[in-house]
């Protein structure tokens, strides 16, 4: 059984205009490596900041090792020692050299003898590959090197968990991998970590667990396989696949067909879809809607068309849903027209579930 390190109970954080965390309940176990992903503004930073009490929660409780840290009597400096934090902007002390940056915490807060802190700092600098920079000042280091120092400084406090808030977002692309490599090594050593990141590849390879944040909390919590390959919720899937959608509702036989075709073309172009796929989507839409479905309709009907494009897989899908009696164009439609539809799509299906539903995918 994994041992619970942090327990979050009904955590809520309100700001005057927005409530990023509505009611978060979750347990973090020793050894968990959690990547926190999700659209911007969904409370990822707020969650981290409420955890280590940089931000005071509006309500709810946070426990670490069964001690309630949201209790006003709790010693915050002790809490922050248990939870190391690495920020996007490295926050090193500019007027101290690298080794002093790492020693300050252990000496002043942990009351570690200077020689011991020095030894520890050297050891940690070796671990992050920067032993030769011990005497340099922060402004003599690259962004990636500074962030590696910031990580060493956080570990020097011997925290029980390390919290990272987008540790590579402020770096040049060339420096991202050196920082991720250091975090990967910590993961191998069993360090408990929670990492807010946009690096999906990294999140997938390194984490034991993913929190997808949306709608005021942890919207989906699962293993990387679950979240990346088989998310159980729609918003998670849309985020992971970077889905773009176009939808339109048609209610009359003489709807603006030319305008709709132009909208579809713009949607495809905006999302950099190939000319061939764009043409295929338009043609399939025309054949199905104009040649087959509309002629079957009475004057009063609703047809919803949705086109979805995944930037990750490069695949497009089209969904058509229309009311009225069951009408399967693949069986009862215009033969030549439906031959074109089949030829231009990779997969197609029809089902009748109170309404008619057609699902098509384009290669
Ligand atoms: P994320 O890290 O997921 O991008 P944040 O946790 O930074 O999101 O922010 C969540 C929401 O809370 C945003 O709408 C943001 O504008 C708002 N917010 C964050 N910090 C403050 C603050 N100090 N005062 C008011 N609103 C804030
Ligand atoms: Mg943030």
């Amino acid at each position: 059984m994994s041992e619970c390190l942090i327990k979050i109970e009904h955590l809520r954080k309100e700001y005057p205009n927005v409530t990023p965390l509505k009611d978060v309940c979750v347990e973090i176990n020793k050894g968990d490596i959690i990547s926190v992903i999700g659209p911007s503004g969904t409370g990822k930073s707020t969650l981290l900041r409420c955890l280590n009490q940089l931000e005071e929660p509006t309500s709810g409780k946070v426990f670490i090792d069964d001690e309630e840290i949201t209790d006003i009597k709790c010693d915050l400096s002790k809490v922050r020692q248990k939870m190391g934090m690495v920020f996007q902007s490295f926050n090193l002390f500019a007027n101290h050299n690298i080794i002093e940056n790492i020693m300050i915490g252990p000496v002043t807060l942990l009351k570690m003898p200077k020689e011991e802190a020095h030894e520890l700092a050297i050891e940690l600098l070796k671990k992050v590959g920067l032993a030769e920079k011990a005497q340099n000042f922060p402004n003599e280091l690259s962004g990636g090197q500074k962030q590696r120092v910031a990580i060493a400084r956080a570990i020097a406090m011997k925290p029980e968990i390390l919290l990272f808030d987008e540790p590579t977002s402020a770096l040049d692309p060339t420096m991202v991998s050196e920082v991720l490599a250091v975090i990967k090594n910590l993961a191998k050593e069993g360090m408990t970590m929670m990492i807010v990141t946009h690096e999906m590849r990294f999140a997938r390879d390194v984490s034991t667990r993913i929190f997808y944040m949306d709608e005021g909390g942890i919207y989906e919590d699962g293993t990387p396989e679950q979240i990346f390959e088989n998310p159980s919720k729609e918003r998670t899937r849309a985020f992971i696949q970077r889905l773009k959608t176009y939808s339109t509702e048609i209610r009359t036989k003489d709807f603006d067909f030319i305008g709709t075709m132009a909208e579809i073309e713009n949607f495809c172009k905006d999302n950099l879809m190939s000319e061939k796929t764009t043409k295929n989507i338009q043609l399939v839409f025309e054949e199905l809607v104009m040649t087959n479905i509309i002629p079957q309709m009475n004057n009063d009907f609703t047809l919803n068309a949705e086109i979805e494009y995944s930037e990750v897989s490069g695949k497009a899908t089209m969904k058509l849903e229309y009311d009225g009696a069951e009408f399967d164009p693949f069986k009862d439609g215009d033969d030549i027209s439906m031959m074109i539809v089949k030829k231009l799509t990779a997969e197609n299906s029809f089902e009748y579930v109170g309404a008619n539903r057609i699902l098509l995918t384009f290669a």
Side-chain angles (χ1 to χ4, degrees):
M1 264 307 283
S2 33
E3 201 180 330
C4 175
L5 176 64
I6 295 175
K7 190 169 181 188
I8 302 175
E9 282 182 356
H10 302 291
L11 183 69
R12 182 176 178 88
K13 179 66 188 177
E14 293 172 10
Y15 291 115
N17 298 317
V18 63
T19 304
L21 305 177
K22 293 197 175 116
D23 181 30
V24 175
C25 298
V26 77
E27 287 187 10
I28 296 167
N29 296 319
K30 286 210 168 104
D32 274 355
I33 298 155
I34 301 171
S35 286
V36 183
I37 61 173
S40 86
T42 49
K44 302 182 296 298
S45 296
T46 305
L47 177 64
L48 251 54
R49 296 167 64 82
C50 283
L51 267 188
N52 72 357
Q53 302 291 296
L54 280 173
E55 206 62 84
E56 191 187 343
T58 308
S59 60
K61 292 178 178 176
V62 178
F63 299 85
I64 177 161
D65 291 327
D66 292 324
E67 184 185 356
E68 191 196 333
I69 61 177
T70 31
D71 187 332
I72 43 167
K73 291 188 293 269
C74 182
D75 176 2
L76 278 188
S77 64
K78 222 175 86 195
V79 169
R80 300 222 175 98
Q81 182 267 307
K82 287 186 180 189
M83 297 194 207
M85 180 107 179
V86 176
F87 301 89
Q88 187 175 326
S89 53
F90 335 107
N91 299 353
L92 297 179
F93 303 113
N95 52 343
H96 288 278
N97 67 19
I98 298 307
I99 193 141
E100 286 163 359
N101 260 280
I102 298 175
M103 290 168 61
I104 290 169
V107 170
T108 57
L109 299 170
L110 302 183
K111 310 290 175 215
M112 192 184 280
K114 273 205 166 153
E115 300 75 59
E116 194 185 331
H118 190 272
E119 237 170 75
L120 173 67
I122 293 287
E123 185 195 317
L124 292 176
L125 279 175
K126 281 187 189 152
K127 193 199 265 286
V128 300
L130 290 170
E132 62 177 26
K133 301 288 184 190
Q135 302 305 323
N136 288 80
F137 281 80
N139 66 4
E140 297 170 311
L141 268 56
S142 74
Q145 291 171 334
K146 279 188 234 181
Q147 194 58 304
R148 286 190 275 156
V149 173
I151 294 171
R153 185 179 58 175
I155 313 170
M157 296 297 288
K158 304 185 188 296
E160 295 197 42
I161 183 170
L162 268 183
L163 309 174
F164 295 83
D165 194 356
E166 301 198 23
T168 61
S169 294
L171 299 177
D172 282 354
T174 52
M175 295 168 187
V176 169
S177 56
E178 66 193 65
V179 171
L180 295 183
V182 166
I183 301 175
K184 261 186 212 173
N185 283 336
L186 294 175
K188 280 193 202 128
E189 291 170 12
M191 184 85 212
T192 310
M193 296 191 279
M194 194 158 159
I195 309 148
V196 176
T197 185
H198 292 292
E199 300 284 340
M200 293 299 143
R201 189 67 209 244
F202 168 82
R204 194 186 174 127
D205 292 349
V206 174
S207 321
T208 57
R209 213 170 150 189
I210 308 273
F211 290 172
Y212 172 71
M213 292 199 56
D214 210 331
E215 300 209 317
I218 300 168
Y219 181 82
E220 194 163 346
D221 168 4
T223 64
E225 292 75 38
Q226 274 170 303
I227 300 288
F228 285 100
E229 275 151 42
N230 202 7
S232 65
K233 292 174 143 185
E234 185 53 34
R235 275 172 176 268
T236 316
R237 191 178 73 90
F239 179 81
I240 296 293
Q241 289 294 318
R242 292 204 307 255
L243 290 185
K244 306 286 159 149
T245 53
Y246 164 81
S247 63
T248 184
E249 187 179 85
I250 299 166
R251 301 185 71 104
T252 61
K253 290 192 171 201
D254 50 7
F255 74 102
D256 181 3
F257 172 67
I258 293 174
T260 305
M261 289 295 260
E263 279 177 11
I264 292 174
E265 186 171 348
N266 287 339
F267 167 78
C268 294
K269 281 202 175 136
D270 288 348
N271 291 299
L272 308 175
M273 292 160 68
S274 73
E275 210 151 294
K276 184 167 157 247
T277 308
T278 307
K279 285 258 145 37
N280 290 351
I281 289 173
Q282 285 182 302
L283 199 52
V284 165
F285 180 84
E286 177 172 1
E287 294 300 339
L288 275 169
V289 174
M290 297 304 277
T291 311
N292 286 283
I293 299 170
I294 296 270
Q296 298 291 322
M297 293 296 172
N298 304 319
N299 272 324
D300 184 25
F301 71 94
T302 309
L303 186 159
N304 282 298
E306 185 178 288
I307 299 166
E308 210 172 67
Y309 177 65
S310 161
E311 288 181 341
V312 170
S313 68
K315 276 194 182 156
T317 62
M318 186 190 295
K319 278 186 233 166
L320 299 174
E321 192 169 305
Y322 45 100
D323 54 13
E326 178 169 348
F327 169 64
D328 177 357
F330 294 101
K331 279 206 328 246
D332 306 319
D334 178 274
D335 285 342
I336 294 174
S337 172
M338 292 313 290
M339 232 164 64
I340 297 172
V341 169
K342 283 184 195 158
K343 208 171 153 51
L344 298 182
T345 52
E347 294 163 304
N348 56 68
S349 66
F350 170 87
E351 61 173 350
Y352 184 78
V353 281
N356 297 280
R357 252 189 225 154
I358 295 173
L359 184 64
L360 309 142
T361 65
F362 298 83

